[in-house]
């Protein structure tokens, strides 16, 4: 559970970096110099994912077999791309760190409460949406003791 809390609180940096670059018009400067937009995002993904993998390897050394390294590698890509997509919602990097962290923390707390919804079709639809579009909920399901890990694929 502490692993999840760490991700809830730390993913705001991926959003803030992209928003900060947008604030400072770094992408526009790169475009004027002839660089395509996808090069900027690919370079950001490469740097952010490298940092994620280094942290993941440290966690693997500490946790051993408790951590599924291949699942976490896929989770890293999904998490970083999700954060990049959410970065378009913010105009200020300072606000993005604050709000995105609070949004993640609240979502991580309240989404499991969807299991209390009596309407099965509505509940299953909402849970499917969160499972496939919100990487932190998928990670929460992976480490939840009452969920069959093979059902997550």
């Amino acid at each position: 559970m502490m692993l999840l809390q760490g991700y809830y609180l730390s993913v705001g940096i991926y959003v803030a970096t992209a928003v900060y670059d947008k604030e400072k018009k770094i992408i526009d400067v790169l475009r004027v110099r002839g660089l395509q937009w996808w090069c900027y995002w690919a370079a950001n993904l490469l740097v952010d994912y490298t940092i994620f993998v280094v942290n993941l390897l440290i966690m693997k050394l500490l946790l051993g077999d408790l951590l599924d390294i291949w699942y976490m590698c896929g989770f890293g890509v999904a998490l970083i791309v999700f954060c990049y997509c959410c970065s378009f919602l913010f105009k200020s990097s300072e606000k993005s760190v604050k709000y995105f962290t609070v949004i993640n923390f609240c979502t991580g707390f309240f989404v499991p409460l969807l299991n209390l919804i009596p309407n099965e079709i509505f509940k299953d639809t909402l849970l499917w949406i969160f499972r496939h579009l919100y990487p932190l909920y998928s990670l929460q399901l992976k480490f939840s003791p009452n969920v069959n890990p093979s059902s997550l694929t």
Side-chain angles (χ1 to χ4, degrees), residues 58-95:
I58 292 169
M59 285 192 315
K60 181 67 175 174
L61 289 173
L62 295 174
L63 298 175
D65 290 338
L66 294 175
L67 192 66
D68 182 1
I69 193 83
W70 297 113
Y71 180 84
M72 292 299 291
C73 285
F75 167 76
V77 173
L79 178 69
I80 294 169
V81 171
F82 172 75
C83 290
Y84 289 166
C85 291
C86 290
S87 71
F88 292 105
L89 301 174
F90 300 100
K91 293 187 185 213
S92 165
S93 60
E94 291 177 16
K95 288 182 180 177

Side-chain angles (χ1 to χ4, degrees), residues 71-140:
Y71 180 84
M72 292 299 291
C73 285
F75 167 76
V77 173
L79 178 69
I80 294 169
V81 171
F82 172 75
C83 290
Y84 289 166
C85 291
C86 290
S87 71
F88 292 105
L89 301 174
F90 300 100
K91 293 187 185 213
S92 165
S93 60
E94 291 177 16
K95 288 182 180 177
S96 68
V97 171
K98 294 174 189 172
Y99 292 137
F100 194 68
T101 301
V102 170
I103 289 168
N104 276 323
F105 192 76
C106 291
T107 305
F109 181 75
F110 288 113
V111 168
L113 297 178
L114 293 176
N115 288 317
L116 301 176
I117 295 175
N119 185 338
E120 288 294 321
I121 295 172
F122 184 64
K123 175 178 75 171
D124 290 343
T125 303
L126 285 176
L127 290 174
W128 185 90
I129 290 169
F130 276 104
R131 186 179 315 119
H132 289 87
L133 297 179
Y134 186 62
L136 290 167
Y137 180 63
S138 179
L139 182 68
Q140 186 175 2

Side-chain angles (χ1 to χ4, degrees), residues 138-149:
S138 179
L139 182 68
Q140 186 175 2
L141 286 177
K142 177 72 175 173
F143 288 108
S144 191
N146 57 356
V147 175
N148 181 6

Side-chain angles (χ1 to χ4, degrees), residues 19-72:
V19 174
Y20 180 79
D21 291 348
K22 184 170 59 173
E23 278 179 336
K24 299 299 179 189
K25 301 194 183 306
I26 292 175
I27 299 172
D28 293 337
V29 171
L30 295 175
R31 191 176 307 133
V32 167
R33 294 185 180 230
L35 192 67
Q36 299 294 321
W37 63 269
W38 63 267
C39 294
Y40 166 80
W41 289 109
N44 265 356
L45 181 63
L46 181 66
V47 170
D48 288 341
Y49 191 69
T50 302
I51 294 169
F52 180 86
V53 168
V54 168
N55 290 327
L56 182 62
L57 293 174
I58 292 169
M59 285 192 315
K60 181 67 175 174
L61 289 173
L62 295 174
L63 298 175
D65 290 338
L66 294 175
L67 192 66
D68 182 1
I69 193 83
W70 297 113
Y71 180 84
M72 292 299 291

